[in-house]
Amino acid sequence: MPTVNALPERLTIGDLDFAVRESVHRRTVGITVDRDGSLLLHAPAGCDLDGLAAWAHSKRAWVFRKLAEKDLLLSTRPTKEFVTGEGFDYLGRHYRLLLTDDDAAIPVKLERGRLRMPRAITQAAAGKVSMISWYRARALAWLPRRIIPWAERMSVQPSELDVRDLGYRWGSLGRNDRLNFHWATMQLPVGLVDYVIVHELAHIQQPRHTPAFWATVERAMPDYEGRKSRLAMTGATLWLG
């Protein structure tokens, strides 16, 4: 029986350089564009090299689009100084920060159209931590009510909800169908938060980004492509701490 040659560790297709990962657990080929823009080409064990190269070549337009999105996401993001008048987004609306002499026991609160933060917190260099905690608390209170109708529409039942720092991901699906959301999601307009919710709920039935996955998203949200594009543009301008 002839021996199947192992695939090379790297494969160059035009201007694109892929690291190649071969696995006996895979049945299909796939591409991952990592957070830093590096490219990973996944292949089943024994995959034909010429066929793999041809498939990767056919995906060049998709890869370049993803790389453009990564450049946007990895571009210089806004920083915060935590001074009076500084702007912060919450569910698509812009609010100005007001430093006060309030009791630091309530670090941040939204009141009369302003985000109020005790001046003592910023002096203690805890402004960032306090603001992130405020976004997280808001998310834990607001997201469940938003998730329920979408879950019912899609006939899925997530388990727990966690809100934390997910790097450059807005959401993920954890073990036992636990929904994870980035705290910064609460800066997005409601319609884009809905897209993140639907995207993660779709993973309960479809773990990978296959055509069946996107069909599941489209059934729940027919205009998802427009929301997805707006998320890439809007998300790149938001503060991630």
Side-chain angles (χ1 to χ4, degrees), residues 11-29:
L11 184 63
T12 299
I13 307 293
D15 298 331
L16 301 174
D17 182 53
F18 296 88
V20 179
R21 180 177 295 169
E22 192 174 8
S23 172
V24 296
H25 300 295
R26 287 193 68 93
R27 295 185 179 180
T28 59
V29 295

Side-chain angles (χ1 to χ4, degrees), residues 169-223:
R169 294 179 299 166
W170 296 111
S172 68
L173 185 70
R175 291 184 178 181
N176 301 317
D177 296 336
R178 184 188 70 243
L179 293 176
N180 303 311
F181 289 92
H182 199 303
W183 59 263
T185 301
M186 297 306 289
Q187 298 176 69
L188 295 168
V190 172
L192 299 187
V193 179
D194 283 342
Y195 168 73
V196 177
I197 290 171
V198 169
H199 185 111
E200 300 312 327
L201 289 174
H203 276 308
I204 294 177
Q205 295 178 328
Q206 304 290 339
R208 299 182 182 277
H209 292 135
T210 61
F213 168 84
W214 293 113
T216 300
V217 173
E218 187 173 27
R219 280 195 298 271
M221 183 176 281
D223 64 342

Side-chain angles (χ1 to χ4, degrees), residues 95-116:
Y95 296 92
R96 296 293 179 183
L97 181 66
L98 176 64
L99 298 186
T100 70
D101 295 321
D102 294 348
D103 184 355
I106 305 177
V108 182
K109 57 184 175 182
L110 181 58
E111 188 176 84
R112 296 192 293 275
R114 299 290 293 268
L115 279 167
R116 298 171 63 95

Side-chain angles (χ1 to χ4, degrees), residues 60-217:
R60 289 176 75 246
W62 179 88
V63 171
F64 280 121
R65 186 170 70 250
K66 289 297 181 183
L67 288 173
E69 292 175 4
K70 293 293 181 183
D71 285 342
L72 193 61
L73 289 174
L74 294 170
S75 62
T76 302
R77 286 184 173 271
T79 58
K80 299 297 184 181
E81 298 179 0
F82 299 95
V83 296
T84 290
E86 191 169 32
F88 288 84
D89 293 298
Y90 175 62
L91 292 178
R93 297 186 63 182
H94 203 61
Y95 296 92
R96 296 293 179 183
L97 181 66
L98 176 64
L99 298 186
T100 70
D101 295 321
D102 294 348
D103 184 355
I106 305 177
V108 182
K109 57 184 175 182
L110 181 58
E111 188 176 84
R112 296 192 293 275
R114 299 290 293 268
L115 279 167
R116 298 171 63 95
M117 175 183 286
R119 187 173 287 103
I121 290 177
T122 61
Q123 292 173 348
K128 181 178 79 170
V129 174
S130 297
M131 188 63 73
I132 290 173
S133 296
W134 180 82
Y135 277 120
R136 183 173 184 272
R138 285 279 176 146
L140 289 170
W142 186 87
L143 281 171
R145 298 193 300 270
R146 200 74 189 179
I147 291 169
I148 288 173
W150 285 112
E152 291 176 347
R153 179 182 301 186
M154 299 171 71
S155 300
V156 294
Q157 189 171 357
S159 58
E160 301 175 354
L161 170 66
D162 190 17
V163 178
R164 52 195 172 91
D165 191 329
L166 294 176
Y168 289 104
R169 294 179 299 166
W170 296 111
S172 68
L173 185 70
R175 291 184 178 181
N176 301 317
D177 296 336
R178 184 188 70 243
L179 293 176
N180 303 311
F181 289 92
H182 199 303
W183 59 263
T185 301
M186 297 306 289
Q187 298 176 69
L188 295 168
V190 172
L192 299 187
V193 179
D194 283 342
Y195 168 73
V196 177
I197 290 171
V198 169
H199 185 111
E200 300 312 327
L201 289 174
H203 276 308
I204 294 177
Q205 295 178 328
Q206 304 290 339
R208 299 182 182 277
H209 292 135
T210 61
F213 168 84
W214 293 113
T216 300
V217 173

